[in-house]
Amino acid sequence: MKSLILLFSTFCILHSSFSAPPNIVVIVADDLGYADVGFNPQHPKEIVTPNLDSLAKAGVICRQGYVTGHVCSPTRAGLMLGRYQQRLGLYTGGEAGSGVPMSEKLFPQYLKPAGYATGQFGKWHLGPDLAWSPALRGFDEVFGFLGRGAHDYFKLDDPNDPIYRGTEVVKETGYLTDRLGEETAAFITKHKAGPFFAYLAFNAVHAPLQAPEDEIAKFNTGNKDRDARLAMGKRMDDAIGHVMTALKNGGVWENTLLFFISDNGGPLAQSADNTPLRGGKHTDYEGGIRVPFLICWPSQLKPGEWQSPVSSLDILPTALAAAGDSAKAEATLDGINLLPLLKGEAAPASRDFFWCSGSDEGWWAVRSGDWKLVGEKGAISLLDLSKDVSEANDLAKQMPEKVAELTKLHDAWLAEMAKPVKAGEKRYDMAAKTAEKPKKKKKKVKE
């Protein structure tokens, strides 16, 4: 009889743990290089990211993970919306950083009806002041900063760039990356009865390149900026480890759906490494928009690698599908639920992906299947990513029909997007720019 009771109790515990909505954790690094993580096989020898590597071994590594912007705030806007940020006219960092309209429903607001406790920790960058605070956008608990893309890592009591808890300014001390990890871990411990949604939005490894001196001293590449960046990455990895420990100690690791991405590629001017990709931050080449991308749900997803392209836009619909019927989106989202694919319940279908930073910056791109077209003001490149991940071989002149096909595809997508909320047009127009140039006066020839 005692054996039957024990067996029944064990069944009930297992059934409740696996049928309960999962906790959801989204971790976003800032300006992290594609090769600046240990789970990239081509990482340089100096990389030290043991906790991220452990997370990668426990989850699914998405080798072709994309974000929707080549700078910080557009990607973060798209992530929170589950839709291309250009639908709201947010093409540049300045536009998205100036504020996502308060009428728009964001990630945590979809989860609240399903009973989720919600917390945001770190960089917001989707509105410059308290009127745009994440505390007013569905987050129950907030610890971080608002308007700027960067923040000093040591000066946490600067009245001109304050740290907020909720909507109140707080005076803090310590190293900012450490504090964000600690606050997120405390939130997890507090809400371990679940379900909870934690959005850990690092500003690491974004400039200023600052880390504790003893951490920097552990690296000796001969490049001071590189050493500081590596130390910042190591400290961020430590903070992620702190979060993982809180999940495991709280008994919620198995039923937590966790995503990790960078918001854009690493900036080459600040010694980031995006090997084997071309370019970096501020470009629509792979180095600017393909990022480290992990998905982990120990009780549901088998560890491994996923080779088909995925997008940061897929994070919200995947999370909502996992959360259940109470967390459905009313609007049509631009991403897809990845769970059937990652579980092997459905085969991947060909998808199209789009990028555009408006006429002032001039960058735009489209990927369809393995073909990618990149526009940089007046220049256009056609790339075959199945053979040329480093985008070294431009096929535009050899294949004008493919260029026309992909341009038409991007034109159709762009027609659905709103005009930029600030100055400029949706896309750089070479013909118009040429027409704007004043004609040079011919020199009079002396007779």
Side-chain angles (χ1 to χ4, degrees):
M1 186 65 179
K2 288 183 178 179
S3 298
L4 288 174
I5 293 173
L6 179 60
L7 182 62
F8 179 72
S9 299
T10 303
F11 171 79
C12 289
I13 291 170
L14 289 173
H15 184 266
S16 62
S17 64
F18 290 110
S19 62
N23 306 300
I24 298 166
V25 177
V26 177
I27 302 176
V28 179
D30 200 331
D31 286 8
L32 184 64
Y34 189 72
D36 285 337
V37 289
F39 58 87
N40 181 331
Q42 295 177 264
H43 70 82
K45 61 182 180 180
E46 65 267 18
I47 291 299
V48 182
T49 56
N51 294 299
L52 276 172
D53 300 345
S54 175
L55 182 62
K57 288 178 181 178
V60 179
I61 305 171
C62 298
R63 292 297 185 194
Q64 299 192 68
Y66 289 101
V67 289
T68 57
H70 59 221
V71 292
C72 310
S73 60
T75 287
R76 292 170 189 245
L79 172 63
M80 285 291 105
L81 290 163
R83 294 183 291 147
Y84 281 107
Q85 62 275 8
Q86 292 91 345
R87 291 192 183 280
L88 306 183
L90 307 176
Y91 290 76
T92 66
E95 288 168 338
S98 295
V100 174
M102 294 297 290
S103 58
E104 294 294 327
K105 194 170 183 177
L106 302 188
F107 205 133
Q109 293 167 310
Y110 287 109
L111 294 172
K112 294 296 291 179
Y116 278 75
T118 57
Q120 187 269 344
F121 307 94
K123 173 176 174 174
W124 185 233
H125 207 190
L126 299 179
D129 52 46
L130 279 177
W132 308 91
S133 170
L136 307 178
R137 311 299 298 264
F139 284 106
D140 302 321
E141 300 182 31
V142 170
F143 179 87
F145 61 100
L146 294 175
R148 297 180 58 231
H151 195 288
D152 194 285
Y153 289 84
F154 293 103
K155 296 177 182 177
L156 308 187
D157 59 351
D158 184 351
N160 296 315
D161 197 7
I163 300 293
Y164 290 90
R165 187 178 297 282
T167 57
E168 300 295 323
V169 173
V170 291
K171 291 187 177 181
E172 288 287 325
T173 58
Y175 184 63
L176 183 53
T177 303
D178 295 349
R179 292 293 298 114
L180 298 181
E182 291 162 359
E183 289 287 332
T184 307
F187 172 83
I188 289 168
T189 301
K190 178 181 176 182
H191 296 285
K192 62 185 179 182
F196 60 78
F197 167 50
Y199 175 44
L200 173 51
F202 286 110
N203 56 313
V205 289
H206 193 294
L209 300 181
Q210 298 173 332
E213 289 299 325
D214 62 335
E215 199 76 76
I216 296 175
K218 296 175 184 177
F219 301 92
N220 186 22
T221 65
N223 179 329
K224 291 183 179 180
D225 283 353
R226 180 67 176 164
D227 291 346
R229 174 173 286 275
L230 292 169
M232 295 166 74
K234 173 58 171 60
R235 207 65 167 219
M236 180 179 68
D237 185 81
D238 290 343
I240 292 170
H242 197 37
V243 170
M244 292 169 65
T245 297
L247 292 170
K248 292 173 181 178
N249 289 348
V252 296
W253 168 254
E254 290 291 326
N255 198 34
T256 294
L257 173 58
L258 189 152
F259 302 87
F260 171 81
I261 63 170
S262 177
D263 59 2
N264 48 252
L268 300 182
Q270 295 170 11
S271 303
D273 190 335
N274 296 319
T275 303
L277 309 178
R278 177 183 180 181
K281 182 179 182 180
H282 297 292
T283 81
D284 283 348
Y285 293 117
E286 294 290 282
I289 55 177
R290 188 190 290 203
V291 298
F293 200 124
L294 301 176
I295 305 174
C296 182
W297 189 1
S299 70
Q300 298 292 323
L301 299 178
K302 292 181 180 179
E305 296 191 9
W306 184 254
Q307 302 297 341
S308 297
V310 299
S311 168
S312 54
L313 295 178
D314 299 334
I315 293 176
L316 178 55
T318 301
L320 297 187
D325 292 340
S326 299
K328 286 187 175 179
E330 300 88 353
T332 300
L333 303 181
D334 286 317
I336 65 171
N337 171 20
L338 295 174
L339 294 178
L341 300 176
L342 300 180
K343 290 181 177 182
E345 298 169 355
S350 180
R351 301 176 63 187
D352 300 327
F353 301 85
F354 303 93
W355 296 268
C356 189
S357 59
S359 62
D360 288 349
E361 291 191 10
W363 284 97
W364 60 275
V366 52
R367 174 172 178 170
S368 183
D370 288 323
W371 289 102
K372 183 181 174 192
L373 190 67
V374 180
E376 180 188 357
K377 295 194 173 178
I380 293 178
S381 302
L382 176 66
L383 299 316
D384 181 357
L385 295 178
S386 67
K387 302 174 182 176
D388 181 24
V389 70
S390 298
E391 298 176 299
N393 187 20
D394 179 10
L395 302 172
K397 291 183 179 179
Q398 294 98 303
M399 304 182 69
E401 298 86 358
K402 180 61 72 172
V403 170
E405 175 191 329
L406 293 180
T407 300
K408 184 177 180 181
L409 190 63
H410 194 275
D411 286 345
W413 170 79
L414 199 59
E416 297 180 7
M417 303 299 115
K419 285 194 66 174
V421 295
K422 293 191 174 182
E425 298 300 321
K426 295 181 185 180
R427 195 164 74 196
Y428 188 89
D429 187 337
M430 185 62 184
K433 293 293 180 182
T434 302
E436 289 174 5
K437 291 181 180 179
K439 294 181 179 179
K440 292 183 179 180
K441 294 181 180 180
K442 293 182 179 180
K443 292 183 179 180
K444 291 183 179 182
V445 179
K446 291 183 179 180
E447 296 181 8

